[in-house]
Amino acid sequence: MDKQVFENKFGDFSNALKQKFAGLNLTDEEIKKAMKNPDELITLVSAKTGISREEADKRVHQAMSTVGIDDTQVKGFMEKWGDKVGDKIAEIKNKFSH
């Protein structure tokens, strides 16, 4: 999944997730960070809403399916995205350390 497709789907997913959980007070950045591992997102939603982990899992996956994404797509993209950010940070640190 390329970045533009993911970004478009992420906005849809974020909105779908917020609709599934009334009163869910998460920022898009918190959701993106938690999506590096779908289990983290489920844990975060469960903790923020007070519902069981099983119910959070069910609702998160329902929100994902409504926008046509699955765990593998999300995890793969977020890992690549995280690696690129980590590489850039290392590159910047290296420039300033010399």
Side-chain angles (χ1 to χ4, degrees), residues 7-19:
E7 287 296 326
N8 291 341
K9 285 190 176 194
F10 176 79
D12 294 342
F13 170 67
S14 179
N15 291 333
L17 187 65
K18 290 172 184 175
Q19 286 178 349

Side-chain angles (χ1 to χ4, degrees), residues 8-77:
N8 291 341
K9 285 190 176 194
F10 176 79
D12 294 342
F13 170 67
S14 179
N15 291 333
L17 187 65
K18 290 172 184 175
Q19 286 178 349
K20 287 267 182 214
F21 298 98
L24 182 64
N25 191 21
L26 288 177
T27 66
D28 286 346
E29 288 305 311
E30 287 175 307
I31 295 170
K32 278 184 182 179
K33 182 179 176 184
M35 285 177 71
K36 289 180 183 175
N37 180 342
D39 285 338
E40 278 185 45
L41 181 59
I42 292 162
T43 299
L44 181 63
V45 168
S46 176
K48 288 269 191 172
T49 60
I51 63 173
S52 72
R53 188 165 169 22
E54 292 78 21
E55 184 62 22
D57 182 28
K58 177 182 164 188
R59 291 190 198 178
V60 166
H61 283 89
Q62 285 172 344
M64 290 169 71
S65 69
T66 63
V67 296
I69 57 177
D70 62 33
D71 288 359
T72 306
Q73 290 173 314
V74 170
K75 191 173 183 180
F77 180 83

